[in-house]
Amino acid sequence: MIRPALLIACSISLGGSASGAAAQPAGTFTLAARLLAEDASSAGNVAPPPIVRSKAARPTSGPAPARAPVGRVEAANRAAVQEPAADYYVGAVQLYPWSEGALYRLYTAPGRVSDIALQPGERLVSVAAGDTARWIIGDTASGAGAGRRTHILVKPSATGLRTNMVIATDRRTYHVELESNARTAMASIAWTYPEDALVAVRGTPAPAPDPVAAGVSVEQLSFDYRIEGEAPWRPVRVFDDGRQVFIEFPPSFAEGEAPPLFVTGDKGVTELVNYRIRGLYYVVDRLFAAAELRLGGKRQQVVRIVRDRAAGGRSAS
């Protein structure tokens, strides 16, 4: 049976000493609760009291509340945006590596036209923009045949505008984020396509480039040339077929200014020679013993090409 007098006395005693005593450890019974538990166990028909815990013992940490759907969308968009990077500029053209689901930023300005250049041979299907009232959007093309290239031209009517554009082609879909400001406009954006290069490496034949020259006999090729000097565009090899000299440049050659070619004559006088540019090659319609590629003014970059006579090189015509 519950002992009321003792319970009251214990409660008063505990209440009177609460101010001077240290706080009771979390998760322990009060004295009154223990007495109630003893009587309940002896009676068998009284439910035991709940354990009294201090507030400090209650868990305060747990899984963060789920982010609202709008917040998840905003976070995904921020992570997907590709901004201009200095390492991916070729002249004034920003080259973005294309990937599925990416958003590509294009900064524009009133009074300036920005160009969005698609992959050569890629056919435009449709263009849609979120704001067609304040943005002027058109398309044109350059080149012909397999090298025909579609260009989408964008011009804002005011500063401080933002919208998006979706470009659908026969090969892929581009998502472009448009933004206008008072001064700076990107002249052009284009893309590189790592997946296409990967497919070519794995053995799928890539589109055949235009031939550098026709009627060249492989058996007649001579590679007996030395290349002297250093420059970012330094040729990787030089060879001839008995009639023409072919000078092959590295892939970075297409990103800068092409150096003129000077041939050194029998009397040591250098003169500018006629040649044709075919992709990464110079094609010279004559043989020579020595030549120089020169680029620059006061601090000129010079690369010298010399036929190696010791290796049995052909005589110049």
Side-chain angles (χ1 to χ4, degrees):
M1 296 295 294
I2 300 176
R3 296 183 287 270
L6 181 58
L7 176 59
I8 295 171
C10 291
S11 300
I12 294 173
S13 175
L14 290 172
S17 62
S19 60
Q24 183 174 322
T28 61
F29 288 104
T30 64
L31 181 56
R34 288 186 182 183
L35 294 176
L36 287 172
E38 291 173 1
D39 287 335
S41 61
S42 62
N45 58 357
V46 179
I51 297 176
V52 179
R53 299 181 184 273
S54 65
K55 292 183 179 180
R58 295 175 183 174
T60 58
S61 62
R67 180 178 290 179
V70 173
R72 292 195 294 269
V73 172
E74 292 175 347
N77 287 346
R78 285 194 300 269
V81 171
Q82 302 295 310
E83 296 285 357
D87 292 341
Y88 290 94
Y89 263 101
V90 177
V93 180
Q94 171 71 194
L95 290 178
Y96 285 119
W98 188 88
S99 62
E100 187 72 42
L103 305 177
Y104 304 99
R105 183 82 72 190
L106 174 61
Y107 292 98
T108 65
R112 303 289 299 275
V113 175
S114 295
D115 172 29
I116 301 174
L118 304 184
Q119 188 179 27
E122 190 171 17
R123 185 174 61 85
L124 179 65
V125 176
S126 65
V127 177
D131 182 356
T132 56
R134 296 180 296 176
W135 292 81
I136 302 171
I137 300 172
D139 65 90
T140 186
S142 63
R148 181 180 173 84
R149 192 169 195 178
T150 299
H151 301 262
I152 298 167
L153 308 179
V154 180
K155 179 181 177 182
S157 61
T159 61
L161 302 181
R162 291 187 178 184
T163 191
N164 72 312
M165 174 186 293
V166 179
I167 304 169
T169 75
D170 60 342
R171 298 178 183 176
R172 57 186 64 87
T173 302
Y174 302 85
H175 298 268
V176 182
E177 295 290 304
L178 303 177
E179 184 173 330
S180 68
N181 58 81
R183 291 186 178 181
T184 305
M186 298 172 69
S188 178
I189 63 172
W191 286 267
T192 60
Y193 302 91
E195 289 187 358
D196 289 3
L198 182 61
V199 168
V201 169
R202 287 178 176 173
T204 300
D210 294 334
V212 175
V216 176
S217 176
V218 177
E219 294 79 7
Q220 296 296 322
L221 295 182
S222 171
F223 294 85
D224 300 328
Y225 291 85
R226 295 195 318 272
I227 304 172
E228 304 171 350
E230 294 296 330
W233 38 262
R234 185 181 190 269
V236 295
R237 66 177 57 87
V238 180
F239 56 95
D240 71 72
D241 66 348
R243 299 182 302 107
Q244 305 171 106
V245 177
F246 301 90
I247 304 172
E248 182 183 355
F249 292 88
S252 59
F253 170 73
E255 302 175 359
E257 187 177 354
L261 177 67
F262 296 85
V263 168
T264 303
D266 296 336
K267 298 181 180 180
V269 178
T270 58
E271 59 181 9
L272 189 64
V273 66
N274 293 327
Y275 55 89
R276 303 186 305 279
I277 299 178
R278 293 289 185 269
L280 298 178
Y281 289 84
Y282 280 5
V283 181
V284 187
D285 289 326
R286 53 165 290 190
L287 302 182
F288 55 78
E292 290 182 353
L293 293 161
R294 305 175 185 173
L295 185 62
K298 294 181 179 179
R299 304 183 64 180
Q300 195 173 56
Q301 295 175 320
V302 179
V303 171
R304 185 171 173 80
I305 300 171
V306 181
R307 182 184 293 109
D308 192 352
R309 296 183 182 275
R314 299 182 179 95
S315 60
S317 58

